[in-house]
Amino acid sequence: MSVRPPEAAGPDFLCIGLQKAGTRTLQQILSLDDRYWMPLVKEFHHFDGSEIPKRHERQQKLYDALQAGGFRLSLLNARRTREGLRKVDVRDLQFLKKSRSYLENGCCDADYLDMFSLTPKGAITGDITPGYSRLERKEVQRVHSLLPHAKIVLLLRDPISRAWSAINMRLRRETRGNLIRIRSQQQARMEEMLKSSRGQKIVDQETITPPLNSQPSEIFRVWRDVFGEDAIRVFSLEEIISSPKGISDEVHATVTGEQGSGSKWSMEHRLDKDTNLVPSPNEKGDKAQVLLRGEIKARLIEAYADEIQRSAAMFGERATGWAAKYGL
């Protein structure tokens, strides 16, 4: 029997990150399980407010195109099927309409909750926004006051590889331009930028004072203290890749209190012979990357050595292997 109060509004769970720890993949996994209804918008940012217009803008353009007849739903769904995404239906169009009201009315709590009212009976839904991992205790308490029933999902990735992935993302954004067409060309520009003062500032932001979203032990402690031990579940990036169906079952059990599957999960086409998740065409495996080495690697190890030890003590086997990767 579901533990969610019948009068509860809003998402059943929040995935609070970490950033660069598999949140996009988790969204795809849950979207293809018929026990879930996952909104088209990933990263609502309602509680941190940092990117609300940006995150909804693309979906609003899609809604306008569909309403005006400039884009056929069948063509959109054919493309989404190729990319390993679920099809868009009438309920999604209703969601986009509510999303517009949310933006036009100033992103108030009532409209945020109302967007999730479209969840089919018996399904569960969630807000996956890794930016929530940056929330301070008072902000987490505000989340709890609005969503006291919600469960919390935290995805782990070792803080050094997470920080380096974030640095690479920033470098890609800084070097992106109309003339960059070949991955190797962008990678060369990223390498060049990393040596510049601008590149060093990007590294400084992840090393001089490590951001909160690179400190999973502190994130867990704050959210656990506010929501309670039983309300928060932790998974690693490796688990997302190696056991996607298991993760879907675990999140469902956490929210509903019900064990067992019984889902019509349509991700089998995304699994290899060892049932590991194969990246879809829209994922980021083909993006330009700079290798972690030398002085920057040493700086990251120094910045996160203590957090790696704290995480190992707090998360056990999900984090005990991190130290060996960096000779700690």
Side-chain angles (χ1 to χ4, degrees), residues 2-45:
S2 175
V3 296
R4 185 177 192 259
E7 71 280 2
D12 298 292
F13 71 91
L14 300 176
C15 177
I16 60 173
L18 300 173
Q19 183 190 38
K20 319 302 293 182
T23 57
R24 178 192 295 267
T25 303
L26 180 64
Q27 174 92 7
Q28 292 184 4
I29 290 170
L30 302 185
S31 293
L32 293 170
D33 185 327
D34 69 343
R35 296 172 297 180
Y36 296 84
W37 180 74
M38 298 302 296
L40 288 180
V41 172
K42 175 186 175 284
E43 302 192 28
F44 280 80
H45 286 282

Side-chain angles (χ1 to χ4, degrees), residues 148-188:
H149 65 279
K151 305 301 182 183
I152 307 302
V153 174
L154 174 63
L155 304 184
L156 298 179
R157 183 177 183 180
D158 91 68
I160 292 175
S161 63
R162 193 223 67 82
W164 185 238
S165 181
I167 289 169
N168 267 282
M169 180 179 68
R170 291 282 305 279
L171 291 172
R172 281 194 297 271
R173 289 176 177 174
E174 294 283 345
T175 57
R176 186 167 53 204
N178 293 332
L179 297 179
I180 296 177
R181 292 285 184 260
I182 302 174
R183 174 181 172 179
S184 60
Q185 292 176 345
Q186 185 173 24
Q187 187 166 324

Side-chain angles (χ1 to χ4, degrees), residues 20-177:
K20 319 302 293 182
T23 57
R24 178 192 295 267
T25 303
L26 180 64
Q27 174 92 7
Q28 292 184 4
I29 290 170
L30 302 185
S31 293
L32 293 170
D33 185 327
D34 69 343
R35 296 172 297 180
Y36 296 84
W37 180 74
M38 298 302 296
L40 288 180
V41 172
K42 175 186 175 284
E43 302 192 28
F44 280 80
H45 286 282
H46 179 73
F47 297 104
D48 66 334
S50 59
E51 297 184 359
I52 289 176
K54 174 183 174 183
R55 293 297 175 178
H56 289 255
E57 182 179 291
R58 182 179 179 184
Q59 285 75 13
Q60 290 304 312
K61 289 181 179 178
L62 170 63
Y63 178 69
D64 288 340
L66 290 169
Q67 292 296 102
F71 200 87
R72 290 171 55 191
L73 190 59
S74 59
L75 294 177
L76 171 65
N77 282 329
R79 186 183 72 188
R80 288 177 64 85
T81 298
R82 290 194 300 272
E83 294 177 348
L85 304 175
R86 72 166 176 84
K87 293 181 179 180
V88 173
D89 59 20
V90 173
R91 196 183 302 271
D92 294 309
L93 299 182
Q94 293 172 337
F95 166 80
L96 292 175
K97 186 175 181 179
K98 287 181 179 290
S99 172
R100 172 157 296 176
S101 296
Y102 170 70
L103 294 173
E104 291 175 347
N105 295 339
C107 307
C108 66
D109 287 346
D111 284 335
Y112 170 74
L113 298 176
D114 187 49
M115 284 189 287
F116 296 93
S117 67
L118 293 164
T119 306
K121 185 177 181 180
I124 63 176
T125 188
D127 173 357
I128 298 180
T129 302
Y132 295 160
S133 63
R134 296 189 293 264
L135 297 180
E136 302 289 346
R137 182 177 295 270
K138 287 185 177 179
E139 296 166 315
V140 175
Q141 289 170 338
R142 175 176 119 69
V143 177
H144 185 262
S145 68
L146 187 66
L147 302 172
H149 65 279
K151 305 301 182 183
I152 307 302
V153 174
L154 174 63
L155 304 184
L156 298 179
R157 183 177 183 180
D158 91 68
I160 292 175
S161 63
R162 193 223 67 82
W164 185 238
S165 181
I167 289 169
N168 267 282
M169 180 179 68
R170 291 282 305 279
L171 291 172
R172 281 194 297 271
R173 289 176 177 174
E174 294 283 345
T175 57
R176 186 167 53 204

